[in-house]
Amino acid sequence: MFKNMIFVLEIAFLALLPFLFRIKYRLELSCLILFVFLALRFDYGNDYINYSKLFYQLISETPVDEIIFDTQMEKGFLWLNILFIPFGFFALVACLTGFNIYSIYFLIKKYVEEKYHWYALLIYIFTFQLMLIHASALRQTLAFNFEIWAIYWIFRRKILWSYIFFLLAIQVHRSAVILLLLPLLYNKTVMTLIVRFYPIILAGTFVVGLYIVPLLSKYVAKISPRYAFYFEQIEAGQVSSGLGLLGMMIILGMLYWLLKYVSEMELRFLLILNLLGFCVTLLAIQMLILSRFMFYFEPFAIVTYPLFLSRIKNRLVRIGFLGVTSFIISYSFYNFFQSEVWIDKFGRYQTIFSEKALDYREGIMISEE
């Protein structure tokens, strides 16, 4: 089973080398290493081949306008594919990867203390919902990248620019419509109210997730067969370990406590987004389709976890937090590679220079035995 993880372990080791040798531009070099491995990937992730088939369908004899108006996929992503037709699908993947890695680099560089850059990078690599899923979910990853830059403009009170990026996000994934609320949240009074009533919000979310969401799941599954997969696997989406749920609640409590030590409005906002992500997680446990919204909240752990280590001075508490977060991330990472849903497409890394990729470029897929 560990051989299936070898790619991630190798990339983590290589990305940490600049930090071990204390190279001057270590974060930049580490992100470059991530970019090279991820930009050159082939058929890595459950959605890779589906996206490639869409791309090659656009350059087939089928009229482009028919595909654009007939498909349910967001038009913005379709037009992005069309723009890359002269360069090829591999170039599209490389550019999307570059934008994603640069956005993650920006987030770490701007909001994480330098001495914790290594920790933020490890969170990104080993939290399976981040690097691994980002390598597969091209549309929603791009939407999240737009969110990062929209928040950048919110912080600078350039609301028009922020909404431009939010609209771009919606054009590549409809779930990004939830992001339109973010400018309203970046208000001192609103943020104070969220912090004050967060325990009530969390408790309400738990009740809704426990009693209302299961009923809603059954109803939506009946009227929307397209999303049946998400409702057939509700049990698989539940937290499989009481210890895992306990760990998650401990992290939540510690991050809520951290708010007392964070006065900067920008950092408090990112921390609040991360806390709201825990509410979405509680709902997604019962209704997997809601996990799409977690995409826009969970990644800010890259900022908030290192922030805890930098602001909390009690050494034992910091060690405890590091231990709990490491356990939860490692436990989820291990389970990810145990799952039959993911193991087939994430269990083996190959590049665009592999024999299979070269054959695929010519339109021939070598069948797996």
Side-chain angles (χ1 to χ4, degrees), residues 89-296:
F89 179 71
F90 296 158
L92 172 63
V93 171
C95 287
L96 290 177
T97 300
F99 185 48
N100 179 46
I101 294 299
Y102 181 74
S103 300
I104 296 298
Y105 162 79
F106 172 81
L107 202 59
I108 296 174
K109 186 77 172 180
K110 188 161 184 65
Y111 299 111
V112 178
E113 284 191 25
E114 185 176 358
K115 64 180 179 180
Y116 293 115
H117 283 176
W118 64 272
Y119 180 45
L121 211 57
L122 284 182
I123 292 171
Y124 177 70
I125 293 172
F126 285 107
T127 302
F128 77 86
Q129 299 97 324
L130 301 185
M131 188 187 80
L132 291 173
I133 297 300
H134 284 184
S136 177
L138 300 185
R139 287 183 299 139
Q140 200 161 5
T141 299
L142 181 57
F144 165 67
N145 296 151
F146 285 138
E147 178 193 8
I148 291 176
W149 298 103
I151 289 174
Y152 169 81
W153 289 111
I154 289 175
F155 289 166
R156 273 140 196 80
R157 306 291 181 179
K158 303 290 186 180
I159 303 302
L160 177 60
W161 277 104
S162 70
Y163 273 112
I164 288 174
F165 277 97
F166 285 140
L167 291 175
L168 286 173
I170 294 170
Q171 287 303 306
V172 296
H173 206 285
R174 294 182 187 89
S175 65
V177 69
I178 193 174
L179 300 178
L180 295 175
L181 298 173
L182 295 193
L184 303 178
L185 299 183
Y186 190 65
N187 175 282
K188 192 172 183 180
T189 302
V190 174
M191 290 167 62
T192 300
L193 289 173
I194 292 175
V195 171
R196 183 174 298 172
F197 293 103
Y198 182 75
I200 297 175
I201 295 172
L202 186 68
T205 303
F206 179 78
V207 172
V208 170
L210 196 61
Y211 297 105
I212 298 177
V213 169
L215 298 177
L216 183 63
S217 297
K218 295 178 181 179
Y219 174 74
V220 176
K222 289 181 180 179
I223 64 173
S224 301
R226 178 187 175 194
Y227 296 107
F229 165 80
Y230 291 98
F231 306 106
E232 290 172 356
Q233 303 217 4
I234 290 177
E235 293 183 3
Q238 294 175 346
V239 176
S240 58
S241 168
L243 191 60
L245 180 60
L246 176 62
M248 187 183 77
M249 299 309 293
I250 290 174
I251 294 172
L252 186 155
M254 286 181 157
L255 291 179
Y256 185 67
W257 178 50
L258 175 62
L259 284 165
K260 294 169 51 178
Y261 301 91
V262 179
S263 58
E264 301 93 323
M265 195 168 175
E266 294 181 4
L267 290 176
R268 284 181 69 85
F269 183 75
L270 297 179
L271 186 51
I272 287 171
L273 287 184
N274 203 193
L275 287 169
L276 291 176
F278 283 93
C279 297
V280 178
T281 299
L282 288 177
L283 295 176
I285 288 173
Q286 293 292 341
M287 191 173 183
L288 286 183
I289 195 171
L290 296 178
S291 63
R292 291 176 178 268
F293 296 118
M294 292 162 58
F295 241 89
Y296 308 115

Side-chain angles (χ1 to χ4, degrees), residues 8-62:
V8 182
L9 297 177
E10 286 177 348
I11 199 174
F13 174 74
L14 292 173
L16 278 182
L17 281 180
F19 290 95
L20 294 175
F21 290 102
R22 303 187 65 82
I23 296 173
K24 184 177 181 180
Y25 297 104
R26 43 192 174 272
L27 179 61
E28 289 79 3
L29 183 55
S30 294
C31 288
L32 178 61
I33 291 170
L34 290 181
F35 166 73
V36 170
F37 272 89
L38 294 172
L40 296 179
R41 72 189 185 274
F42 172 75
D43 195 12
Y44 192 73
N46 290 26
D47 298 325
Y48 186 99
I49 293 299
N50 289 332
Y51 281 123
S52 68
K53 287 179 179 178
L54 169 69
F55 184 87
Y56 289 116
Q57 184 182 6
L58 289 169
I59 62 178
S60 67
E61 296 180 359
T62 305

